[in-house]
Amino acid sequence: MLTVRTLIMITKAQMKLARTCIVLAAIIALASAIRPQSATAATAEGTPQRKQSEIESADRLFQAGKFADAGKLYSQIVTQNPKDYSATLQLGRIALLANRLDDAHKWLEKAITMKPDGTDAKIMLAEAFYRRDDFQKAAAALNGVDVSSNKLIIEQ
């Protein structure tokens, strides 16, 4: 027979898992709905159409749930143009979805450096810290984010 303490621990674990699933669903939905324009089209080598085509191909793979394939394309884009915010953000998002928290941290910090006012990277970085039970860093990552009106947070 299960003790009350055991039931409480199971319930807490289930609630944490449910919150994580909700966050992941919100991240995927947000990525599909409000994908930022890539800096690649304007700044990378090659034709703007070709670079935009690569981003669009990677986006389609991501939206289809083919995260590994999308990650390979985003990595190629970042290799060609290390200042591509959109591809960098997506690499952080994919790492977070795969629970590769060290990689997510690296990519999301880089995205924040590129676009300090961007909120998506800060929210996802907060989620990475949250998953590590580092709640102080999670709260600090949300510095500058209006949590009362941010779509990603509200949908959680």
Side-chain angles (χ1 to χ4, degrees):
M1 178 171 246
L2 297 175
T3 66
V4 173
R5 182 178 176 169
T6 303
L7 290 173
I8 290 171
M9 289 174 50
I10 291 170
T11 302
K12 285 182 180 181
Q14 289 173 335
M15 289 174 55
K16 187 173 182 177
L17 178 61
R19 280 194 305 266
T20 300
C21 290
I22 291 168
V23 168
L24 292 175
I27 290 170
I28 292 170
L30 187 62
S32 299
I34 59 170
R35 177 82 164 87
Q37 284 295 337
S38 169
T40 303
T43 61
E45 301 172 11
T47 64
Q49 294 82 11
R50 187 178 134 237
K51 297 303 173 187
Q52 189 61 33
S53 171
E54 289 175 359
I55 280 287
E56 290 170 357
S57 294
D59 290 346
R60 280 191 298 278
L61 288 167
F62 181 88
Q63 290 168 1
K66 297 180 179 181
F67 302 123
D69 293 334
K72 288 176 187 174
L73 277 179
Y74 290 126
S75 292
Q76 290 173 3
I77 293 165
V78 169
T79 298
Q80 294 168 359
N81 181 10
K83 294 182 180 182
D84 189 301
Y85 171 78
S86 183
T88 300
L89 180 66
Q90 286 299 89
L91 286 169
R93 188 172 309 213
I94 290 168
L96 185 62
L97 290 170
N99 211 31
R100 295 187 331 265
L101 301 180
D102 290 338
D103 289 341
H105 182 260
K106 175 186 83 168
W107 289 114
L108 295 169
E109 284 284 357
K110 187 173 180 181
I112 291 168
T113 301
M114 288 183 217
K115 190 174 177 182
D117 294 334
T119 58
D120 284 0
K122 290 180 181 181
I123 292 167
M124 288 186 279
L125 182 60
E127 173 66 18
F129 286 131
Y130 176 83
R131 289 187 195 177
R132 289 184 173 146
D133 294 330
D134 194 340
F135 305 116
Q136 287 183 327
K137 285 185 181 178
L142 294 173
N143 187 27
V145 177
D146 183 2
V147 295
S148 66
S149 65
N150 186 280
K151 184 177 179 177
L152 183 58
I153 292 175
I154 291 170
E155 290 178 354
Q156 292 180 18

